[in-house]
Structures are given as structure tokens and as C-alpha cells.
Amino acid sequence: MTSMLDTARLVEGLWEQTGGLTRAVAGRDPDTRVPTCPEWPLRTLVGHVGQEHRWAAELVRRCEQLPIPDPWQADPGAPDEWARWLREGAEELTRAIQETGADTEMHTFIGPRPAAFWLRRTLSDTCVHHYDAAFATDTAFEIADDLAADVISEHGPAVHAGL
């Protein structure tokens, strides 16, 4: 299914949700358990999101399939560096989409799609993990209606396809 959001809104949403995640984890204990990701401490969640942004950027730049990284191997640094880690990952993905072109066709796990597919996929995951972090740290979670609707529509086909 294709997003109802244009590339500019997807980029804006990525920044909104990355910022929300950054606020949710600011000053928190890296070993805080994330109940919605039961095996993960907060450090792994933060590492995963920054790692995923960088991985998606590399997929877009190379236009080829790459191995899925292990979230336990991601190193977001010390907690006071997490905001930088997350912003740099979002910036890398945004720049890769701009340089490659959102409409450039490339490999995805559901066949050829425009590069914007990876922006949407990553934004969706960032929204979900922003919620995970907010829940784990008892902080506010906010998401714009259009982004929430897009996350639901993006996850529906993947869930039904068993992905």
C-alpha cells in the first residue's frame, strides 16, 4: 500500500517522532526495561532506532539489499549522547532520500518500490518505538493524526503478509 503522505510530510514526521523519542529518553537510565519490547533495555531501543535510520540510508544510497543489523550491536553512546545519535541517524536518512530521489526504484522486502518506501517504513518504526520509550519512561506520547493513520495503514499489509 502506498502512503497518503508526500515525501516532505514523511521527512517532517521522521523529525517529529525522532524528536519525541529523544525527549522520552532524555536523562533516563540506559538499563530501564522497555515493557513493549520485553527483552530490551532503553539503550538497545535507542541504539536500534539510530541504527535503523543509518541502515535505511545505506539501503537507499546503494539501491541494494543489505543484511539486517543486530540491535544488540548498536552503540548509541552514553545517554547524554543519545539525542545526537538519533538526530544524526534521521539526518543521514533524510539526506540519502534527497540525494537518491524519493521516486528512485529499489529493492525492498516486498519487491521493487520507490526509495520513499524506506523513509515511510523507518518513520513507522520510529513512531512505534517513540511510543515504546514514552511508555517505558512514563512520558507523554504525541503523534499527529495523519502520521498515526499512515502507521496503521503501513503496518496492516505487512502484518497480513506475515512480515
Side-chain angles (χ1 to χ4, degrees):
M1 177 175 251
T2 304
S3 177
M4 301 283 284
L5 305 177
D6 64 16
T7 301
R9 179 62 180 123
L10 293 171
V11 168
E12 180 182 46
L14 180 67
W15 284 105
E16 288 171 14
Q17 291 300 300
T18 300
L21 173 59
T22 298
R23 289 186 295 279
V25 301
R28 303 302 176 148
D29 179 349
D31 293 323
T32 299
R33 288 284 158 204
V34 181
T36 49
C37 300
E39 302 299 318
W40 287 5
L42 206 53
R43 165 183 275 295
T44 301
L45 182 75
V46 170
H48 164 67
V49 173
Q51 178 188 58
E52 180 182 35
H53 291 172
R54 289 163 173 82
W55 176 74
E58 193 65 16
L59 286 169
V60 169
R61 280 193 294 269
R62 290 187 183 190
C63 294
E64 65 183 50
Q65 187 173 359
L66 298 172
I68 297 171
D70 180 352
W72 291 95
Q73 300 301 315
D75 182 8
D80 63 349
E81 297 174 8
W82 288 357
R84 177 195 51 78
W85 166 259
L86 292 166
R87 281 192 306 270
E88 286 177 356
E91 174 60 33
E92 191 172 329
L93 177 55
T94 300
R95 192 171 41 253
I97 293 290
Q98 291 168 342
E99 291 170 357
T100 303
D103 294 329
T104 301
E105 193 167 286
M106 58 187 49
H107 174 80
T108 74
F109 54 83
I110 57 173
R113 296 287 186 272
F117 167 91
W118 289 112
L119 176 60
R120 183 181 187 216
R121 171 81 288 280
T122 305
L123 167 58
S124 182
D125 203 49
T126 303
C127 292
V128 169
H129 289 316
H130 170 202
Y131 172 80
D132 294 331
F135 183 72
T137 61
D138 196 29
T139 56
F141 173 76
E142 294 182 20
I143 185 169
D145 292 346
D146 62 338
L147 294 180
D150 200 64
V151 169
I152 291 167
S153 69
E154 194 269 345
H155 275 277
V159 169
H160 294 297
L163 301 173

